[in-house]
Amino acid sequence: MIGCFEKILKQFVLLISLLGLLGCAPRVQRSPVGLLSSNQQEPALSGDGTKLALIVNRNGRPTVQLQEVKTGRIIQLRQLSRYQPHSSPSLSWNGRYLALIVQRRNRRMPIIEDRLMGRVHELLVPQERIPIRLSLSPTASQLAIQVAHKGKWRIEFFDMSDKLEPDQPISNRGSSIFENIN
């Protein structure tokens, strides 16, 4: 009788342990209908998690698309149409700045769109260095770019603090000018 009780107790403990492990598993959130489409690549979330930049195929060209995560609403990017194809998107904290690699004529180059001011900042890298991938810091104060140079790959850092205003988390006190560009 005691052996049977111990066996049931062990199974109960095992069941409770498994349920505890399932409770620790990350939650999977399904995308709104607007985010579900084929050929989505290179996702990049804003630091606050409200915006998603990704590469989609538009008219046979890789094109960056910016969306609100909760609703799937597509946010227009008017400044980037003349720079195509696009790759390697990266967003600042609130999504004010969108950095990506574009093709201009025969040359790949990194650019940053300031969505609040409606400007594009082109970054000139030496012609012998080919930008492959980039990452913008959440405050937009630094940009890391992976480049190919003479058959080798390396990371180069660019200080953007003298070119871009910091993109900081919006405080709960008052409103921000940034709220107008969503």
Side-chain angles (χ1 to χ4, degrees), residues 34-45 51-67 74 77 80 83-91 98-103 108-109 111 132-134:
L35 293 175
L36 296 175
S37 70
S38 60
N39 286 331
Q40 295 178 335
Q41 301 174 27
E42 303 182 53
L45 272 175
K51 294 179 188 56
L52 173 70
L54 48 95
I55 302 297
V56 297
N57 186 346
R58 187 171 294 142
N59 299 327
R61 301 185 115 190
T63 304
V64 70
Q65 181 172 295
L66 184 62
Q67 296 177 322
I74 295 173
L77 299 168
L80 302 178
Y83 302 95
Q84 283 197 302
H86 303 146
S87 65
S88 190
S90 184
L91 289 166
L98 170 63
L100 63 151
I101 297 174
V102 299
Q103 185 84 23
R108 290 173 55 89
M109 63 186 284
I111 64 169
I132 305 298
R133 182 160 279 137
L134 57 74

Side-chain angles (χ1 to χ4, degrees), residues 22-129:
L22 289 175
C24 295
R27 291 191 176 117
V28 176
Q29 181 181 4
R30 300 291 179 220
S31 300
V33 176
L35 293 175
L36 296 175
S37 70
S38 60
N39 286 331
Q40 295 178 335
Q41 301 174 27
E42 303 182 53
L45 272 175
S46 60
D48 64 1
T50 61
K51 294 179 188 56
L52 173 70
L54 48 95
I55 302 297
V56 297
N57 186 346
R58 187 171 294 142
N59 299 327
R61 301 185 115 190
T63 304
V64 70
Q65 181 172 295
L66 184 62
Q67 296 177 322
E68 289 181 355
V69 171
K70 284 185 180 180
T71 65
R73 181 179 73 91
I74 295 173
I75 299 168
Q76 295 299 317
L77 299 168
R78 291 175 175 75
Q79 306 297 321
L80 302 178
S81 61
R82 69 175 185 253
Y83 302 95
Q84 283 197 302
H86 303 146
S87 65
S88 190
S90 184
L91 289 166
S92 61
W93 182 262
N94 295 310
R96 172 181 176 173
Y97 299 107
L98 170 63
L100 63 151
I101 297 174
V102 299
Q103 185 84 23
R104 185 121 191 237
R105 297 181 192 96
N106 294 347
R107 191 161 183 225
R108 290 173 55 89
M109 63 186 284
I111 64 169
I112 300 174
E113 179 178 356
D114 180 344
R115 297 187 323 107
L116 178 62
M117 303 305 280
R119 287 189 295 211
V120 172
H121 301 272
E122 297 180 358
L123 281 81
L124 299 176
V125 294
Q127 195 137 20
E128 67 274 3
R129 294 185 181 115

Side-chain angles (χ1 to χ4, degrees), residues 7-24:
K7 187 175 181 181
I8 291 173
L9 185 60
K10 284 182 181 178
Q11 289 177 348
F12 180 71
V13 169
L14 179 63
L15 178 64
I16 296 298
S17 299
L18 287 173
L19 289 174
L21 286 175
L22 289 175
C24 295

